[in-house]
Amino acid sequence: MSKEKAETNGDCAAVIEQTNEKRIGCTHYKRRAKFVTPCCNKFYMCRYCHDEKEQHYFNRKSVTELICTECDTRQKVQAECENCGVRFGKYTCLICNLFDDEDKRQYHCEGCGICRVGGRDRFFHCERCNMCLPVQLQRDGHRCVENVSRSNCPVCLEDIHTSRIPCHIPDCGHLLHRPCFEQLLHSGHYACPTCQTSMIDMSNLWTYLDSEVAATPMPPEYADYKATILCKDCHKLSTVKFHVVGLKCQHCGAYNTCQTNGFHKESGSSETAEPSASSTSTAPATPPASAASSAAASGSSSSSSSDCSLPRASPLDEPPQA
């Protein structure tokens, strides 16, 4: 008797679990409908569930039919079930075929052509960048890069425009996923992977390298050598004294530089040092890894933790796709 009762309880639990599964949707979205995917004619809660199990990708805008999870009625795409009247999602966009019961402050951007999260009042659409940006950048100004979000993340090579992962916007305007950006910082890489411009405030590191240069005099035979450099931050040329620690830009004070034509004696002699190459060479003059890691570890004179002293970037990100 107890065995039959246990089996009955087990069946009831399975029914309750199945009912709850119907109501809550999937791990990606909380909704009350399944898509009928036109590419393979199968039923999936969302495009991510489809892409995880199939060998091809699915565009949710191509969906023309769905199935209500409350009454299992197959019908055309609409906001409410034509049979039981249940609403498929508290947020509904019939342009993107998006249904979601979770409040993520979703909104549809006509310029981007997709739904985004975070609230329409917090973002504006830049026509030249062709993407949504925080309103603070509209007030403070930003560097426009045409159709910048239509390219892939330079770190993970995944799509940016339709990604659900927030994207960091450095001053140079090139986008990369927020987790990829943080991974670069923790790995000691502070330059944009696309243009090599510094992505964060590097003034602490430049000050540290100034002290390293002052404390490390060059040997007498190299004391009079100079090098022509190109700064990757201000994009200006300058001629500076050669030093093994780094070559400092005379315009902005950055060490994010590279040599353009080797180095030569300050006296005007035509003699050129052995390591120099032709005028088209670009020998890197960025700080040595040891110096960069030491600066990141010290940060400020009162800090002893490398994580605490790691330079912080602006928290302003591109809104992810809903």
Side-chain angles (χ1 to χ4, degrees):
M1 188 74 178
S2 60
K3 185 178 181 181
E4 293 179 357
K5 186 176 181 180
E7 289 179 354
T8 303
N9 291 339
D11 293 340
C12 291
V15 172
I16 293 173
E17 184 178 356
Q18 185 177 3
T19 303
N20 290 336
E21 184 181 357
K22 281 184 176 183
R23 293 182 182 278
I24 64 173
C26 63
T27 57
H28 308 103
Y29 299 100
K30 308 303 179 187
R31 57 176 56 154
R32 294 177 171 83
K34 289 183 179 180
F35 289 146
V36 181
T37 58
C39 51
C40 51
N41 199 29
K42 294 180 181 179
F43 309 141
Y44 286 100
M45 274 291 180
C46 72
R47 62 189 176 109
Y48 296 104
C49 293
H50 170 277
D51 294 347
E52 288 170 359
K53 295 184 178 181
E54 302 294 339
Q55 299 297 318
H56 56 276
Y57 292 100
F58 157 55
N59 183 1
R60 68 183 176 198
K61 290 186 177 182
S62 64
V63 173
T64 58
E65 289 183 299
L66 50 75
I67 297 176
C68 174
T69 57
E70 298 293 323
C71 64
D72 293 326
T73 302
R74 184 165 175 168
Q75 56 200 286
K76 66 179 182 179
V77 175
Q78 50 195 333
E80 298 177 353
C81 177
E82 61 186 23
N83 183 43
C84 64
V86 68
R87 188 170 182 85
F88 297 134
K90 292 179 181 178
Y91 175 82
T92 299
C93 176
L94 297 180
I95 300 175
C96 297
N97 289 335
L98 176 63
F99 309 94
D100 200 349
D101 266 351
E102 281 190 273
D103 182 15
K104 304 170 186 173
R105 301 193 67 189
Q106 301 95 324
Y107 69 96
H108 181 82
C109 175
E110 294 290 344
C112 293
I114 58 176
C115 290
R116 296 195 177 276
V117 301
R120 189 185 299 275
D121 58 320
R122 294 182 56 230
F123 302 96
F124 76 100
H125 184 82
C126 175
E127 295 296 336
R128 185 174 180 184
C129 294
N130 202 9
M131 59 179 283
C132 286
L133 298 171
V135 292
Q136 183 174 336
L137 295 183
Q138 189 177 28
R139 297 191 298 265
D140 300 342
H142 69 282
R143 182 177 180 180
C144 287
V145 179
E146 191 171 357
N147 292 326
V148 62
S149 69
R150 267 54 175 188
S151 58
N152 293 337
C153 172
V155 179
C156 66
L157 303 181
E158 295 292 334
D159 181 60
I160 287 181
H161 185 69
T162 59
S163 175
R164 299 183 76 202
I165 304 173
C167 291
H168 177 67
I169 310 171
D171 291 340
C172 61
H174 299 113
L175 301 182
L176 65 164
H177 289 130
R178 163 64 66 173
C180 296
F181 168 72
E182 294 175 349
Q183 184 180 1
L184 284 178
L185 294 188
H186 286 292
S187 300
H189 301 288
Y190 307 130
C192 171
T194 303
C195 66
Q196 294 299 303
T197 302
S198 298
M199 295 188 294
I200 53 178
D201 182 10
M202 302 292 289
S203 55
N204 287 341
L205 180 57
W206 303 157
T207 302
Y208 170 80
L209 291 179
D210 283 340
S211 63
E212 286 292 297
V213 170
T216 314
M218 291 291 290
E221 59 267 29
Y222 289 101
D224 296 331
Y225 278 95
K226 284 195 169 186
T228 302
I229 60 173
L230 172 66
C231 180
K232 298 177 184 178
D233 286 348
C234 68
H235 306 103
K236 294 181 180 179
L237 290 169
S238 55
T239 301
V240 298
K241 280 194 173 184
F242 176 79
H243 202 284
V244 293
V245 172
L247 303 177
K248 182 177 181 178
C249 174
Q250 296 300 298
H251 301 282
C252 66
Y255 282 87
N256 185 18
T257 59
C258 62
Q259 290 178 238
T260 59
N261 62 348
F263 50 97
H264 51 81
K265 278 194 173 182
E266 186 177 5
S267 60
S269 172
S270 59
E271 179 185 353
T272 305
E274 296 254 345
S276 66
S278 63
S279 60
T280 58
S281 66
T282 56
T286 52
S290 58
S293 60
S294 300
S298 60
S300 61
S301 59
S302 61
S303 176
S304 60
S305 171
S306 60
D307 290 338
C308 295
S309 64
L310 193 68
R312 298 296 179 184
S314 171
L316 300 176
D317 290 338
E318 178 201 15
Q321 184 185 23

